[in-house]
Amino acid sequence: MKCTAWLLVAMISATTAGGAEPPPQVADPRLAIELVAESPEIVTPTGIDVDQTGRVWVIENHTHFRPDDYEGPASDRVRVLDQFDAAGRATRLRTFAEDLSDSMSIMLLAEGEVLLATRGEILLLRDTDGDLAADDRRALVRLDTPGDYPHNGLSGFARDHRGDIYFSLGENLGETYVLIGADGTMLSGGGEGGNIYRMRPDGSGLAQVATGFWNTFHVGFDAFGRLFAVDNDPDSRPPCRLLHVVEGGDYGYRFRNGRKGLHPFTAWDGELPGTLPMIAGTGEAPSGVIAYESDGLPAEFRGALLVTSWGDHLLQRFRLEPHGASFTAQAESIVQGDENFRPVGIAMGPDGAVYLSDWVDESYPLHGKGRIWRLRSRDVAKDSDNSTERPLDHEQASELPTENLSELLSHPHQPTRRAAARALAQRAEPGAAALMDAVKSDEDARARVEALWAAERVSSDTAAEAAKLALEDSDEAVRAAAVEQLARHDSEQAEAILAEKAIRDPSPQVRRAALARLTQRESLEGVVDWAADADPFIATAVTHALAVGRQTELIDRLLSDDKPERRLAGLLALRRLEDEAAVEKLPALLRDDDPGVRRAAIQWVAEAQLDGLRQQAEAAVAKPPVDAELLQGYLAAAEMLSRRDDEDLDELSGEAYLLRMVADSDQSADLRALALRNLDPAHEELTLELLDPLLAGGEPQLRQEAIRTLAARADEASQRRLRRLAAANAGAIDLPERAEAVMGLALSASESEATRNLLLRLVNRGPKPLQNEAIRSLRAAVNAPLVRSTLTELLYRAQQSVEQEVRLEGGQDTPAGVARRELVAQLELALAAHNAGEDRNTAPDSSAPVVPDVQRLLDEQGDAAAGRRVFFHAQGPRCFACHRAGGRGGNVGPDLSLLGGTRSREQIIQSLLEPSREVAPQFMTYTVALTDGRLLTGVVVAQRPDGSVDLADAQGKIISLKADEIDQQTPQRQSIMPDDVHRLMTHRELLDLVEFLTQLR
């Protein structure tokens, strides 16, 4: 399920020759998917689980946006399905519990005990007399809040090896809340986004684990005790996320900053300091996740994460790859359905089959449809009495010899492994010895970690001894589990061992686990600088440990460090203390020399609503040096603080502040230039009267930004200013600034004779650096007779000159020869431009190579300043129409302002030459079929709850569509960026563009 309306649905035919809906398609021929139950037997199912006997337990929801004319039961029900026939269909359905509302998740605890999450409660349902009907009900956790949206409250269950229960709270529409545990523990908040919590099985010991989620509908542990979650759904900032959840982690989402997720203080993939990135993007509206641990599916499924996607009709597999202290993964489609396959819950059965609940219909209101599916290997025999192999349960395990239990520690089915390990833990000395032997010598890492965990059930000393053995394990996952176990053994020796592991273990995952659990000043002193580590999971572990241990002296050491990245880390740790003494240090941080530190301090002021520091925050943005992130952070902070001060709202709104800075000659030139760069060039108050003094002034950065603003405006007054600048005498204006002005004249070349005459004069008699710029701007006017004849004559002379050089120089490159060949290429491209017409997806038939020489692009160096003009040129590849760089450009595609710091030169070249090779989910192209028969193609940049859509085409033009205009939306594999975009450029232009993109940092 999902909370917002980012529903981009693949429209696949839902009928067969017989008129019945086809089953979902399985990508792996070794697998089969079969129907277990469907409406009317089961309708609108959400959470699902399967017990050791193979019975399927599912929530049947009858309260989720219930229509007035709905004829179903009055409340939600927990249904139990069993007695499967030869085709796998359940032939018996019974009701275990009812009188429930807004029920989301279910987990079986033990025989006759069921944990259920509704929007506002976590309930323990018990069957005390064995009749498969709950006769006892107790609330373990209660959510006290005015929020009442059906599925952004409590949901998702996972149980760790110790028996503790993990669950999530969604964004709750930003409403205030108090979460109350069974022992009276109260945790409060509101607006910070969703959280993940931990509690004991009886509802006591409630504690927050991590924050910064949207709606983590499901969480799950893998075989090594690592916690994962699916997060659903970021409105205008897709994709949905698969996350590795760690203690103290902040995953960046803040509901108080707006639903869209685009706020400067909201992160979705670790963009902000102190936040953590995703493992991978998932399909739309992920609702369930499990780590597969059995042998009912092929071997490569073991250990993989399986994720349901409600919105993209998918079951996906993610095979984890270590990535620093966390993981990365690629999505693989395992099951793909049509628009009526809407998987929600997921669970593993006792035979290793995977069970899915299916909402069926895209309608949020109840619709009376529903299905349960089973995914299994084709070679697993099924029979009507459901007598497949069962996992080992506690009673069976207690009767087995110790040797057999030791062998079962390596069983592929995790419940069997765990039952065997726990049975050994109950056998005093023989069992303890068997567990220690397994920790030391078992060939299976999963067996070793189960034995390690079971040692905790023997005694504290046995647990510590087993952990010390496992710390030397060859598998980093076992060592990380040992670190966590040893950390629970409260002793100086344990702390010393953890400190040694934190520093010296070769695995960053083990180091992260150790760092997060250090408590003593002596231990943290040697690693405090790692709070600024480049790996965000390592950095988070240290800042979390510093804050939990309230190590104020060490935090102060970071704050006074010469390196800004360490001062920033100190700020992040200080903020975690959440006390008045920490706030008292904020004014000094607002005066820090580093803009990144000041920006983080401004964010703290805004999010904590520290009105008394408003003036210091404004002073912080005026202090040089200033960068774009600092300016945008202050603009966001000013608006957040003004929510409580209506009279200042206009003054401190983003655009008003930027205009004020541009006009204020007392401000630094750097700040004024940055403000101008971030203003919409077409802003009605950005008048020529405001810009003219900047053009005439002596500050080059202000003059440059003023020219760039004019170069984005097609009105005659602005174009007249550009003509004057482009024609300026030598010395009056720098040549690069004249080149920017010539670039801007492309906007009037087709309509203005004055512009064409000036550009032709520059082509014939202007400085050489401006000649190519003028030719490029004339591409829009190439059909004007004088332009075409002039360029044709110049092309002939240039070609003759190149041919003569080849004869005289033997084909050797000279600087003059390279320049002449570039002139030829520019002229050929300009004269061919009329073939492209208005369609920017169609490259002209030019001399540009069909397949550029990648090695040349890697080896040669371009001109970044010239590349910027290619990026922003109206007659070039028009990158700016969809992408921003340095504060200017469109918002259809990803912001490229930091591209060079995150992608190699080779990757940048590859993305230009093969844009469809890898397209991030949020920038996927869709073909939209309209009800009037038209087909539109573009990126969906907004989709609203009423079903209306904003579609951006290849030129960056936004097309607004109402819901009743749309017939179908179909995702395409191809990027909106054309595959032959390089043919819109000469080789030199492409080289310059690569240089510009590479230097964006």
Side-chain angles (χ1 to χ4, degrees), residues 235-408:
D235 201 275
S236 293
R237 196 167 182 169
C240 298
R241 306 187 289 183
L242 175 62
L243 300 170
H244 174 204
V245 180
V246 297
E247 192 89 18
D250 181 350
Y251 294 82
Y253 182 75
R254 302 284 183 271
F255 190 90
R256 65 169 65 94
N257 296 342
R259 290 183 64 95
K260 288 184 176 298
L262 299 176
H263 194 277
F265 297 157
T266 294
W268 195 241
D269 193 21
E271 298 91 348
L272 295 178
T275 65
L276 297 176
M278 65 181 84
I279 293 173
T282 72
E284 177 60 19
S287 304
V289 56
I290 61 169
Y292 185 78
E293 287 294 333
S294 190
D295 58 353
L297 301 181
E300 61 267 31
F301 279 79
R302 194 178 185 199
L305 301 179
L306 301 182
V307 172
T308 60
S309 167
W310 184 91
D312 281 338
H313 328 292
L314 287 170
L315 175 66
Q316 295 177 302
R317 177 176 66 190
F318 295 85
R319 288 185 276 193
L320 299 174
E321 295 290 338
H323 181 70
S326 184
F327 303 92
T328 187
Q330 293 293 323
E332 303 171 82
S333 295
I334 301 302
V335 178
Q336 172 72 71
D338 64 12
E339 62 177 342
N340 290 319
F341 178 58
R342 302 269 175 179
V344 180
I346 183 170
M348 188 177 71
D351 59 351
V354 172
Y355 290 77
L356 307 171
S357 62
D358 181 1
W359 187 261
V360 176
D361 197 285
E362 68 176 337
S363 170
Y364 276 13
L366 300 174
H367 44 65
K369 303 173 186 176
R371 294 181 293 198
I372 306 297
W373 299 96
R374 180 192 293 113
L375 180 70
R376 62 173 179 84
S377 290
R378 288 186 179 275
D379 58 1
V380 174
K382 310 294 290 184
D383 54 38
S384 59
D385 65 2
N386 204 41
S387 60
T388 53
E389 179 186 353
R390 303 292 177 217
L392 191 70
D393 61 25
H394 177 75
E395 184 177 344
Q396 293 168 324
S398 64
E399 298 175 356
L400 292 177
T402 298
E403 312 84 74
N404 294 66
L405 291 175
S406 295
E407 293 175 0
L408 287 172

Side-chain angles (χ1 to χ4, degrees), residues 953-969:
D953 66 14
Q955 287 77 49
K957 179 182 177 183
I958 304 298
I959 304 166
S960 296
L961 301 170
K962 296 179 180 179
D964 58 8
E965 294 181 282
I966 301 170
D967 183 25
Q968 293 183 351
Q969 293 174 196

